[in-house]
Every structure is written in structure tokens, then in C-alpha cells.
PDB file of all heavy atoms in Angstrom:
ATOM      1  N   GLU A   1      77.419 -38.905  72.778  1.00  0.00           N
ATOM      2  CA  GLU A   1      77.199 -37.663  72.049  1.00  0.00           C
ATOM      3  C   GLU A   1      75.882 -37.727  71.282  1.00  0.00           C
ATOM      4  O   GLU A   1      75.123 -36.753  71.230  1.00  0.00           O
ATOM      5  CB  GLU A   1      78.360 -37.390  71.098  1.00  0.00           C
ATOM      6  CG  GLU A   1      78.341 -35.994  70.510  1.00  0.00           C
ATOM      7  CD  GLU A   1      79.667 -35.622  69.865  1.00  0.00           C
ATOM      8  OE1 GLU A   1      80.428 -36.537  69.508  1.00  0.00           O
ATOM      9  OE2 GLU A   1      79.918 -34.415  69.732  1.00  0.00           O
ATOM     10  N   THR A   2      75.573 -38.894  70.707  1.00  0.00           N
ATOM     11  CA  THR A   2      74.303 -39.068  69.995  1.00  0.00           C
ATOM     12  C   THR A   2      73.119 -38.827  70.922  1.00  0.00           C
ATOM     13  O   THR A   2      72.100 -38.255  70.518  1.00  0.00           O
ATOM     14  CB  THR A   2      74.216 -40.489  69.402  1.00  0.00           C
ATOM     15  OG1 THR A   2      75.281 -40.670  68.476  1.00  0.00           O
ATOM     16  CG2 THR A   2      72.880 -40.731  68.725  1.00  0.00           C
ATOM     17  N   PHE A   3      73.269 -39.236  72.172  1.00  0.00           N
ATOM     18  CA  PHE A   3      72.177 -39.082  73.136  1.00  0.00           C
ATOM     19  C   PHE A   3      72.226 -37.741  73.857  1.00  0.00           C
ATOM     20  O   PHE A   3      71.629 -37.597  74.925  1.00  0.00           O
ATOM     21  CB  PHE A   3      72.184 -40.240  74.136  1.00  0.00           C
ATOM     22  CG  PHE A   3      71.613 -41.513  73.581  1.00  0.00           C
ATOM     23  CD1 PHE A   3      72.436 -42.543  73.151  1.00  0.00           C
ATOM     24  CD2 PHE A   3      70.245 -41.687  73.488  1.00  0.00           C
ATOM     25  CE1 PHE A   3      71.909 -43.715  72.632  1.00  0.00           C
ATOM     26  CE2 PHE A   3      69.706 -42.855  72.973  1.00  0.00           C
ATOM     27  CZ  PHE A   3      70.537 -43.869  72.538  1.00  0.00           C
ATOM     28  N   GLY A   4      72.927 -36.773  73.299  1.00  0.00           N
ATOM     29  CA  GLY A   4      72.804 -35.414  73.805  1.00  0.00           C
ATOM     30  C   GLY A   4      74.017 -34.832  74.472  1.00  0.00           C
ATOM     31  O   GLY A   4      74.000 -33.660  74.871  1.00  0.00           O
ATOM     32  N   GLY A   5      75.094 -35.613  74.621  1.00  0.00           N
ATOM     33  CA  GLY A   5      76.286 -35.097  75.277  1.00  0.00           C
ATOM     34  C   GLY A   5      77.198 -34.344  74.321  1.00  0.00           C
ATOM     35  O   GLY A   5      77.058 -34.432  73.100  1.00  0.00           O
ATOM     36  N   THR A   6      78.119 -33.607  74.881  1.00  0.00           N
ATOM     37  CA  THR A   6      79.158 -32.931  74.105  1.00  0.00           C
ATOM     38  C   THR A   6      80.489 -33.595  74.445  1.00  0.00           C
ATOM     39  O   THR A   6      80.975 -33.484  75.574  1.00  0.00           O
ATOM     40  CB  THR A   6      79.220 -31.431  74.436  1.00  0.00           C
ATOM     41  OG1 THR A   6      77.943 -30.836  74.162  1.00  0.00           O
ATOM     42  CG2 THR A   6      80.288 -30.735  73.600  1.00  0.00           C
ATOM     43  N   GLU A   7      81.046 -34.332  73.479  1.00  0.00           N
ATOM     44  CA  GLU A   7      82.252 -35.119  73.718  1.00  0.00           C
ATOM     45  C   GLU A   7      83.384 -34.217  74.208  1.00  0.00           C
ATOM     46  O   GLU A   7      83.682 -33.172  73.634  1.00  0.00           O
ATOM     47  CB  GLU A   7      82.670 -35.863  72.446  1.00  0.00           C
ATOM     48  CG  GLU A   7      83.888 -36.751  72.605  1.00  0.00           C
ATOM     49  CD  GLU A   7      83.703 -37.858  73.644  1.00  0.00           C
ATOM     50  OE1 GLU A   7      82.573 -38.407  73.760  1.00  0.00           O
ATOM     51  OE2 GLU A   7      84.673 -38.164  74.355  1.00  0.00           O
ATOM     52  N   GLY A   8      84.014 -34.663  75.287  1.00  0.00           N
ATOM     53  CA  GLY A   8      85.128 -33.925  75.867  1.00  0.00           C
ATOM     54  C   GLY A   8      84.716 -32.851  76.844  1.00  0.00           C
ATOM     55  O   GLY A   8      85.566 -32.286  77.535  1.00  0.00           O
ATOM     56  N   LYS A   9      83.407 -32.557  76.914  1.00  0.00           N
ATOM     57  CA  LYS A   9      82.932 -31.539  77.846  1.00  0.00           C
ATOM     58  C   LYS A   9      81.919 -32.118  78.843  1.00  0.00           C
ATOM     59  O   LYS A   9      82.179 -32.148  80.038  1.00  0.00           O
ATOM     60  CB  LYS A   9      82.306 -30.365  77.078  1.00  0.00           C
ATOM     61  CG  LYS A   9      83.311 -29.551  76.269  1.00  0.00           C
ATOM     62  CD  LYS A   9      82.663 -28.330  75.633  1.00  0.00           C
ATOM     63  CE  LYS A   9      82.169 -27.343  76.673  1.00  0.00           C
ATOM     64  NZ  LYS A   9      81.594 -26.121  76.033  1.00  0.00           N
ATOM     65  N   THR A  10      80.783 -32.563  78.330  1.00  0.00           N
ATOM     66  CA  THR A  10      79.763 -33.113  79.224  1.00  0.00           C
ATOM     67  C   THR A  10      79.788 -34.635  79.267  1.00  0.00           C
ATOM     68  O   THR A  10      79.158 -35.232  80.140  1.00  0.00           O
ATOM     69  CB  THR A  10      78.359 -32.645  78.812  1.00  0.00           C
ATOM     70  OG1 THR A  10      78.060 -33.149  77.503  1.00  0.00           O
ATOM     71  CG2 THR A  10      78.274 -31.137  78.810  1.00  0.00           C
ATOM     72  N   VAL A  11      80.498 -35.260  78.325  1.00  0.00           N
ATOM     73  CA  VAL A  11      80.671 -36.713  78.310  1.00  0.00           C
ATOM     74  C   VAL A  11      82.085 -37.008  77.810  1.00  0.00           C
ATOM     75  O   VAL A  11      82.736 -36.150  77.202  1.00  0.00           O
ATOM     76  CB  VAL A  11      79.640 -37.420  77.400  1.00  0.00           C
ATOM     77  CG1 VAL A  11      78.222 -37.180  77.888  1.00  0.00           C
ATOM     78  CG2 VAL A  11      79.787 -36.974  75.951  1.00  0.00           C
ATOM     79  N   LEU A  12      82.530 -38.244  78.051  1.00  0.00           N
ATOM     80  CA  LEU A  12      83.852 -38.652  77.567  1.00  0.00           C
ATOM     81  C   LEU A  12      83.785 -40.117  77.156  1.00  0.00           C
ATOM     82  O   LEU A  12      83.242 -40.954  77.885  1.00  0.00           O
ATOM     83  CB  LEU A  12      84.912 -38.473  78.652  1.00  0.00           C
ATOM     84  CG  LEU A  12      86.365 -38.723  78.227  1.00  0.00           C
ATOM     85  CD1 LEU A  12      86.810 -37.710  77.177  1.00  0.00           C
ATOM     86  CD2 LEU A  12      87.295 -38.665  79.436  1.00  0.00           C
ATOM     87  N   SER A  13      84.325 -40.430  75.975  1.00  0.00           N
ATOM     88  CA  SER A  13      84.279 -41.798  75.447  1.00  0.00           C
ATOM     89  C   SER A  13      85.648 -42.212  74.929  1.00  0.00           C
ATOM     90  O   SER A  13      86.355 -41.403  74.307  1.00  0.00           O
ATOM     91  CB  SER A  13      83.247 -41.893  74.310  1.00  0.00           C
ATOM     92  OG  SER A  13      81.976 -41.470  74.742  1.00  0.00           O
ATOM     93  N   LYS A  14      86.005 -43.476  75.167  1.00  0.00           N
ATOM     94  CA  LYS A  14      87.278 -44.005  74.700  1.00  0.00           C
ATOM     95  C   LYS A  14      87.081 -45.450  74.253  1.00  0.00           C
ATOM     96  O   LYS A  14      86.162 -46.136  74.701  1.00  0.00           O
ATOM     97  CB  LYS A  14      88.337 -43.956  75.805  1.00  0.00           C
ATOM     98  CG  LYS A  14      88.717 -42.542  76.261  1.00  0.00           C
ATOM     99  CD  LYS A  14      89.709 -42.583  77.406  1.00  0.00           C
ATOM    100  CE  LYS A  14      90.112 -41.184  77.868  1.00  0.00           C
ATOM    101  NZ  LYS A  14      90.923 -40.478  76.870  1.00  0.00           N
ATOM    102  N   GLN A  15      87.987 -45.915  73.383  1.00  0.00           N
ATOM    103  CA  GLN A  15      88.005 -47.324  72.977  1.00  0.00           C
ATOM    104  C   GLN A  15      89.378 -47.889  73.267  1.00  0.00           C
ATOM    105  O   GLN A  15      90.406 -47.245  72.994  1.00  0.00           O
ATOM    106  CB  GLN A  15      87.693 -47.475  71.491  1.00  0.00           C
ATOM    107  CG  GLN A  15      87.614 -48.936  71.040  1.00  0.00           C
ATOM    108  CD  GLN A  15      87.560 -49.087  69.531  1.00  0.00           C
ATOM    109  OE1 GLN A  15      88.575 -48.914  68.852  1.00  0.00           O
ATOM    110  NE2 GLN A  15      86.378 -49.395  69.004  1.00  0.00           N
ATOM    111  N   VAL A  16      89.428 -49.105  73.816  1.00  0.00           N
ATOM    112  CA  VAL A  16      90.707 -49.760  74.089  1.00  0.00           C
ATOM    113  C   VAL A  16      90.646 -51.198  73.587  1.00  0.00           C
ATOM    114  O   VAL A  16      89.609 -51.856  73.665  1.00  0.00           O
ATOM    115  CB  VAL A  16      91.063 -49.749  75.592  1.00  0.00           C
ATOM    116  CG1 VAL A  16      91.236 -48.321  76.094  1.00  0.00           C
ATOM    117  CG2 VAL A  16      90.010 -50.471  76.424  1.00  0.00           C
ATOM    118  N   ALA A  17      91.782 -51.662  73.073  1.00  0.00           N
ATOM    119  CA  ALA A  17      91.877 -53.045  72.599  1.00  0.00           C
ATOM    120  C   ALA A  17      93.073 -53.756  73.211  1.00  0.00           C
ATOM    121  O   ALA A  17      93.321 -54.921  72.891  1.00  0.00           O
ATOM    122  CB  ALA A  17      91.983 -53.078  71.075  1.00  0.00           C
ATOM    123  N   THR A  18      93.827 -53.065  74.065  1.00  0.00           N
ATOM    124  CA  THR A  18      94.972 -53.676  74.739  1.00  0.00           C
ATOM    125  C   THR A  18      94.887 -53.392  76.225  1.00  0.00           C
ATOM    126  O   THR A  18      94.314 -52.371  76.653  1.00  0.00           O
ATOM    127  CB  THR A  18      96.301 -53.124  74.200  1.00  0.00           C
ATOM    128  OG1 THR A  18      96.408 -51.734  74.547  1.00  0.00           O
ATOM    129  CG2 THR A  18      96.397 -53.295  72.691  1.00  0.00           C
ATOM    130  N   GLU A  19      95.471 -54.262  77.016  1.00  0.00           N
ATOM    131  CA  GLU A  19      95.450 -54.040  78.455  1.00  0.00           C
ATOM    132  C   GLU A  19      96.242 -52.787  78.824  1.00  0.00           C
ATOM    133  O   GLU A  19      95.896 -52.077  79.770  1.00  0.00           O
ATOM    134  CB  GLU A  19      96.007 -55.250  79.205  1.00  0.00           C
ATOM    135  CG  GLU A  19      95.834 -55.080  80.707  1.00  0.00           C
ATOM    136  CD  GLU A  19      96.499 -56.160  81.528  1.00  0.00           C
ATOM    137  OE1 GLU A  19      97.273 -56.955  80.983  1.00  0.00           O
ATOM    138  OE2 GLU A  19      96.227 -56.195  82.754  1.00  0.00           O
ATOM    139  N   LYS A  20      97.283 -52.501  78.076  1.00  0.00           N
ATOM    140  CA  LYS A  20      98.082 -51.306  78.363  1.00  0.00           C
ATOM    141  C   LYS A  20      97.214 -50.057  78.294  1.00  0.00           C
ATOM    142  O   LYS A  20      97.270 -49.184  79.174  1.00  0.00           O
ATOM    143  CB  LYS A  20      99.249 -51.204  77.376  1.00  0.00           C
ATOM    144  CG  LYS A  20     100.117 -49.976  77.600  1.00  0.00           C
ATOM    145  CD  LYS A  20     101.238 -49.898  76.576  1.00  0.00           C
ATOM    146  CE  LYS A  20     102.076 -48.634  76.780  1.00  0.00           C
ATOM    147  NZ  LYS A  20     103.153 -48.520  75.756  1.00  0.00           N
ATOM    148  N   LYS A  21      96.391 -49.954  77.245  1.00  0.00           N
ATOM    149  CA  LYS A  21      95.522 -48.792  77.094  1.00  0.00           C
ATOM    150  C   LYS A  21      94.453 -48.759  78.191  1.00  0.00           C
ATOM    151  O   LYS A  21      94.093 -47.686  78.710  1.00  0.00           O
ATOM    152  CB  LYS A  21      94.857 -48.801  75.718  1.00  0.00           C
ATOM    153  CG  LYS A  21      95.824 -48.529  74.565  1.00  0.00           C
ATOM    154  CD  LYS A  21      96.365 -47.108  74.624  1.00  0.00           C
ATOM    155  CE  LYS A  21      97.239 -46.796  73.420  1.00  0.00           C
ATOM    156  NZ  LYS A  21      97.822 -45.421  73.513  1.00  0.00           N
ATOM    157  N   LEU A  22      93.936 -49.941  78.541  1.00  0.00           N
ATOM    158  CA  LEU A  22      92.952 -50.003  79.611  1.00  0.00           C
ATOM    159  C   LEU A  22      93.572 -49.565  80.928  1.00  0.00           C
ATOM    160  O   LEU A  22      92.976 -48.799  81.695  1.00  0.00           O
ATOM    161  CB  LEU A  22      92.393 -51.424  79.729  1.00  0.00           C
ATOM    162  CG  LEU A  22      91.364 -51.657  80.845  1.00  0.00           C
ATOM    163  CD1 LEU A  22      90.126 -50.789  80.649  1.00  0.00           C
ATOM    164  CD2 LEU A  22      90.978 -53.139  80.913  1.00  0.00           C
ATOM    165  N   ARG A  23      94.792 -50.003  81.175  1.00  0.00           N
ATOM    166  CA  ARG A  23      95.493 -49.645  82.407  1.00  0.00           C
ATOM    167  C   ARG A  23      95.726 -48.143  82.491  1.00  0.00           C
ATOM    168  O   ARG A  23      95.645 -47.551  83.570  1.00  0.00           O
ATOM    169  CB  ARG A  23      96.819 -50.406  82.482  1.00  0.00           C
ATOM    170  CG  ARG A  23      97.716 -50.071  83.663  1.00  0.00           C
ATOM    171  CD  ARG A  23      97.125 -50.517  84.982  1.00  0.00           C
ATOM    172  NE  ARG A  23      96.930 -51.947  85.062  1.00  0.00           N
ATOM    173  CZ  ARG A  23      96.373 -52.567  86.106  1.00  0.00           C
ATOM    174  NH1 ARG A  23      95.954 -51.861  87.130  1.00  0.00           N
ATOM    175  NH2 ARG A  23      96.217 -53.883  86.111  1.00  0.00           N
ATOM    176  N   GLU A  24      96.013 -47.517  81.360  1.00  0.00           N
ATOM    177  CA  GLU A  24      96.229 -46.066  81.350  1.00  0.00           C
ATOM    178  C   GLU A  24      94.983 -45.334  81.837  1.00  0.00           C
ATOM    179  O   GLU A  24      95.075 -44.314  82.531  1.00  0.00           O
ATOM    180  CB  GLU A  24      96.598 -45.594  79.939  1.00  0.00           C
ATOM    181  CG  GLU A  24      98.001 -46.003  79.492  1.00  0.00           C
ATOM    182  CD  GLU A  24      98.269 -45.623  78.039  1.00  0.00           C
ATOM    183  OE1 GLU A  24      97.363 -45.028  77.398  1.00  0.00           O
ATOM    184  OE2 GLU A  24      99.370 -45.923  77.550  1.00  0.00           O
ATOM    185  N   ILE A  25      93.819 -45.851  81.473  1.00  0.00           N
ATOM    186  CA  ILE A  25      92.569 -45.213  81.884  1.00  0.00           C
ATOM    187  C   ILE A  25      92.245 -45.502  83.343  1.00  0.00           C
ATOM    188  O   ILE A  25      91.950 -44.591  84.126  1.00  0.00           O
ATOM    189  CB  ILE A  25      91.413 -45.686  80.973  1.00  0.00           C
ATOM    190  CG1 ILE A  25      91.613 -45.160  79.552  1.00  0.00           C
ATOM    191  CG2 ILE A  25      90.065 -45.254  81.526  1.00  0.00           C
ATOM    192  CD1 ILE A  25      90.652 -45.739  78.542  1.00  0.00           C
ATOM    193  N   THR A  26      92.305 -46.759  83.739  1.00  0.00           N
ATOM    194  CA  THR A  26      91.898 -47.124  85.100  1.00  0.00           C
ATOM    195  C   THR A  26      92.880 -46.631  86.156  1.00  0.00           C
ATOM    196  O   THR A  26      92.512 -46.487  87.327  1.00  0.00           O
ATOM    197  CB  THR A  26      91.729 -48.646  85.223  1.00  0.00           C
ATOM    198  OG1 THR A  26      92.959 -49.301  84.851  1.00  0.00           O
ATOM    199  CG2 THR A  26      90.611 -49.142  84.318  1.00  0.00           C
ATOM    200  N   SER A  27      94.117 -46.375  85.763  1.00  0.00           N
ATOM    201  CA  SER A  27      95.111 -45.885  86.733  1.00  0.00           C
ATOM    202  C   SER A  27      95.155 -44.360  86.792  1.00  0.00           C
ATOM    203  O   SER A  27      95.852 -43.789  87.633  1.00  0.00           O
ATOM    204  CB  SER A  27      96.503 -46.429  86.389  1.00  0.00           C
ATOM    205  OG  SER A  27      96.923 -45.972  85.113  1.00  0.00           O
ATOM    206  N   ASP A  28      94.398 -43.690  85.906  1.00  0.00           N
ATOM    207  CA  ASP A  28      94.404 -42.228  85.855  1.00  0.00           C
ATOM    208  C   ASP A  28      93.417 -41.679  86.888  1.00  0.00           C
ATOM    209  O   ASP A  28      92.375 -41.118  86.556  1.00  0.00           O
ATOM    210  CB  ASP A  28      94.037 -41.762  84.438  1.00  0.00           C
ATOM    211  CG  ASP A  28      94.127 -40.253  84.277  1.00  0.00           C
ATOM    212  OD1 ASP A  28      94.707 -39.598  85.167  1.00  0.00           O
ATOM    213  OD2 ASP A  28      93.609 -39.729  83.267  1.00  0.00           O
ATOM    214  N   LYS A  29      93.772 -41.820  88.147  1.00  0.00           N
ATOM    215  CA  LYS A  29      92.840 -41.485  89.224  1.00  0.00           C
ATOM    216  C   LYS A  29      92.641 -39.978  89.380  1.00  0.00           C
ATOM    217  O   LYS A  29      91.604 -39.533  89.874  1.00  0.00           O
ATOM    218  CB  LYS A  29      93.332 -42.097  90.539  1.00  0.00           C
ATOM    219  CG  LYS A  29      93.464 -43.622  90.471  1.00  0.00           C
ATOM    220  CD  LYS A  29      93.725 -44.223  91.813  1.00  0.00           C
ATOM    221  CE  LYS A  29      94.017 -45.721  91.748  1.00  0.00           C
ATOM    222  NZ  LYS A  29      93.072 -46.487  90.973  1.00  0.00           N
ATOM    223  N   ASP A  30      93.610 -39.181  88.976  1.00  0.00           N
ATOM    224  CA  ASP A  30      93.479 -37.731  89.100  1.00  0.00           C
ATOM    225  C   ASP A  30      92.873 -37.092  87.852  1.00  0.00           C
ATOM    226  O   ASP A  30      92.585 -35.898  87.853  1.00  0.00           O
ATOM    227  CB  ASP A  30      94.846 -37.095  89.387  1.00  0.00           C
ATOM    228  CG  ASP A  30      95.389 -37.500  90.742  1.00  0.00           C
ATOM    229  OD1 ASP A  30      94.572 -37.665  91.661  1.00  0.00           O
ATOM    230  OD2 ASP A  30      96.615 -37.662  90.875  1.00  0.00           O
ATOM    231  N   GLY A  31      92.720 -37.872  86.803  1.00  0.00           N
ATOM    232  CA  GLY A  31      92.127 -37.358  85.574  1.00  0.00           C
ATOM    233  C   GLY A  31      90.811 -38.024  85.306  1.00  0.00           C
ATOM    234  O   GLY A  31      89.764 -37.592  85.787  1.00  0.00           O
ATOM    235  N   PHE A  32      90.840 -39.131  84.568  1.00  0.00           N
ATOM    236  CA  PHE A  32      89.621 -39.863  84.212  1.00  0.00           C
ATOM    237  C   PHE A  32      88.827 -40.249  85.452  1.00  0.00           C
ATOM    238  O   PHE A  32      87.602 -40.129  85.482  1.00  0.00           O
ATOM    239  CB  PHE A  32      90.015 -41.117  83.412  1.00  0.00           C
ATOM    240  CG  PHE A  32      88.851 -41.878  82.862  1.00  0.00           C
ATOM    241  CD1 PHE A  32      88.316 -41.556  81.623  1.00  0.00           C
ATOM    242  CD2 PHE A  32      88.286 -42.929  83.574  1.00  0.00           C
ATOM    243  CE1 PHE A  32      87.235 -42.264  81.103  1.00  0.00           C
ATOM    244  CE2 PHE A  32      87.214 -43.647  83.069  1.00  0.00           C
ATOM    245  CZ  PHE A  32      86.688 -43.308  81.827  1.00  0.00           C
ATOM    246  N   GLY A  33      89.511 -40.705  86.487  1.00  0.00           N
ATOM    247  CA  GLY A  33      88.816 -41.181  87.682  1.00  0.00           C
ATOM    248  C   GLY A  33      88.127 -40.095  88.476  1.00  0.00           C
ATOM    249  O   GLY A  33      87.207 -40.368  89.241  1.00  0.00           O
ATOM    250  N   LYS A  34      88.562 -38.840  88.329  1.00  0.00           N
ATOM    251  CA  LYS A  34      87.975 -37.750  89.104  1.00  0.00           C
ATOM    252  C   LYS A  34      86.831 -37.052  88.383  1.00  0.00           C
ATOM    253  O   LYS A  34      86.153 -36.210  88.962  1.00  0.00           O
ATOM    254  CB  LYS A  34      89.053 -36.720  89.468  1.00  0.00           C
ATOM    255  CG  LYS A  34      89.849 -37.094  90.712  1.00  0.00           C
ATOM    256  CD  LYS A  34      90.574 -35.894  91.268  1.00  0.00           C
ATOM    257  CE  LYS A  34      91.192 -36.241  92.626  1.00  0.00           C
ATOM    258  NZ  LYS A  34      91.911 -35.080  93.195  1.00  0.00           N
ATOM    259  N   LEU A  35      86.643 -37.368  87.113  1.00  0.00           N
ATOM    260  CA  LEU A  35      85.536 -36.774  86.379  1.00  0.00           C
ATOM    261  C   LEU A  35      84.207 -37.187  86.995  1.00  0.00           C
ATOM    262  O   LEU A  35      84.078 -38.286  87.560  1.00  0.00           O
ATOM    263  CB  LEU A  35      85.575 -37.196  84.912  1.00  0.00           C
ATOM    264  CG  LEU A  35      86.796 -36.751  84.090  1.00  0.00           C
ATOM    265  CD1 LEU A  35      86.759 -37.404  82.721  1.00  0.00           C
ATOM    266  CD2 LEU A  35      86.822 -35.238  83.960  1.00  0.00           C
ATOM    267  N   THR A  36      83.213 -36.344  86.909  1.00  0.00           N
ATOM    268  CA  THR A  36      81.886 -36.679  87.442  1.00  0.00           C
ATOM    269  C   THR A  36      80.830 -36.697  86.344  1.00  0.00           C
ATOM    270  O   THR A  36      79.642 -36.710  86.624  1.00  0.00           O
ATOM    271  CB  THR A  36      81.465 -35.664  88.527  1.00  0.00           C
ATOM    272  OG1 THR A  36      81.474 -34.352  87.966  1.00  0.00           O
ATOM    273  CG2 THR A  36      82.416 -35.718  89.710  1.00  0.00           C
ATOM    274  N   ILE A  37      81.271 -36.711  85.079  1.00  0.00           N
ATOM    275  CA  ILE A  37      80.365 -36.761  83.935  1.00  0.00           C
ATOM    276  C   ILE A  37      80.208 -38.204  83.477  1.00  0.00           C
ATOM    277  O   ILE A  37      81.036 -39.065  83.810  1.00  0.00           O
ATOM    278  CB  ILE A  37      80.902 -35.893  82.773  1.00  0.00           C
ATOM    279  CG1 ILE A  37      82.307 -36.375  82.360  1.00  0.00           C
ATOM    280  CG2 ILE A  37      80.927 -34.429  83.169  1.00  0.00           C
ATOM    281  CD1 ILE A  37      82.886 -35.631  81.159  1.00  0.00           C
ATOM    282  N   PRO A  38      79.166 -38.524  82.716  1.00  0.00           N
ATOM    283  CA  PRO A  38      79.069 -39.872  82.147  1.00  0.00           C
ATOM    284  C   PRO A  38      80.264 -40.151  81.242  1.00  0.00           C
ATOM    285  O   PRO A  38      80.659 -39.311  80.422  1.00  0.00           O
ATOM    286  CB  PRO A  38      77.766 -39.818  81.328  1.00  0.00           C
ATOM    287  CG  PRO A  38      76.981 -38.698  81.912  1.00  0.00           C
ATOM    288  CD  PRO A  38      77.994 -37.686  82.354  1.00  0.00           C
ATOM    289  N   ARG A  39      80.872 -41.335  81.399  1.00  0.00           N
ATOM    290  CA  ARG A  39      82.013 -41.697  80.563  1.00  0.00           C
ATOM    291  C   ARG A  39      81.923 -43.163  80.178  1.00  0.00           C
ATOM    292  O   ARG A  39      81.470 -43.982  80.982  1.00  0.00           O
ATOM    293  CB  ARG A  39      83.335 -41.380  81.229  1.00  0.00           C
ATOM    294  CG  ARG A  39      83.458 -41.777  82.680  1.00  0.00           C
ATOM    295  CD  ARG A  39      84.076 -40.620  83.465  1.00  0.00           C
ATOM    296  NE  ARG A  39      84.457 -40.977  84.816  1.00  0.00           N
ATOM    297  CZ  ARG A  39      83.647 -40.773  85.869  1.00  0.00           C
ATOM    298  NH1 ARG A  39      82.423 -40.294  85.698  1.00  0.00           N
ATOM    299  NH2 ARG A  39      84.066 -41.068  87.090  1.00  0.00           N
ATOM    300  N   LEU A  40      82.331 -43.448  78.963  1.00  0.00           N
ATOM    301  CA  LEU A  40      82.185 -44.786  78.404  1.00  0.00           C
ATOM    302  C   LEU A  40      83.524 -45.247  77.857  1.00  0.00           C
ATOM    303  O   LEU A  40      84.169 -44.520  77.088  1.00  0.00           O
ATOM    304  CB  LEU A  40      81.118 -44.792  77.311  1.00  0.00           C
ATOM    305  CG  LEU A  40      80.773 -46.129  76.648  1.00  0.00           C
ATOM    306  CD1 LEU A  40      79.310 -46.141  76.206  1.00  0.00           C
ATOM    307  CD2 LEU A  40      81.663 -46.439  75.448  1.00  0.00           C
TER     308      LEU A  40
END
């Protein structure tokens, strides 16, 4: 967002500290995985 993106629209950012949370993101193939915007 600092570098010009709009969080939730043109970019998406998340923080994880557990494998469970990481798994939720990497297994979300129809949501997070299908996005074509920069995501961190």
C-alpha cells in the first residue's frame, strides 16, 4: 500500500505465524490463489 497499492483491491497483504494460518492461504486455490494482483 505504501508503494501505491490499495489494500484489498489492487494488492493484498497478510501475516502468518502458524502453519495452520499459512495452510489456509496456500490451500485457498479458488480465492487467494486465483488473484492476479501483487500479494504479500
Side-chain angles (χ1 to χ4, degrees):
E1 191 165 22
T2 299
F3 283 101
T6 301
E7 182 60 36
K9 292 185 65 177
T10 63
V11 298
L12 186 64
S13 304
K14 295 177 179 291
Q15 184 191 75
V16 297
T18 66
E19 187 187 11
K20 179 182 178 182
K21 290 294 185 183
L22 178 61
R23 176 68 62 183
E24 288 175 1
I25 293 171
T26 57
S27 62
D28 184 13
K29 301 189 187 311
D30 294 325
F32 186 88
K34 276 198 172 180
L35 297 173
T36 58
I37 58 176
R39 45 226 190 266
L40 183 149

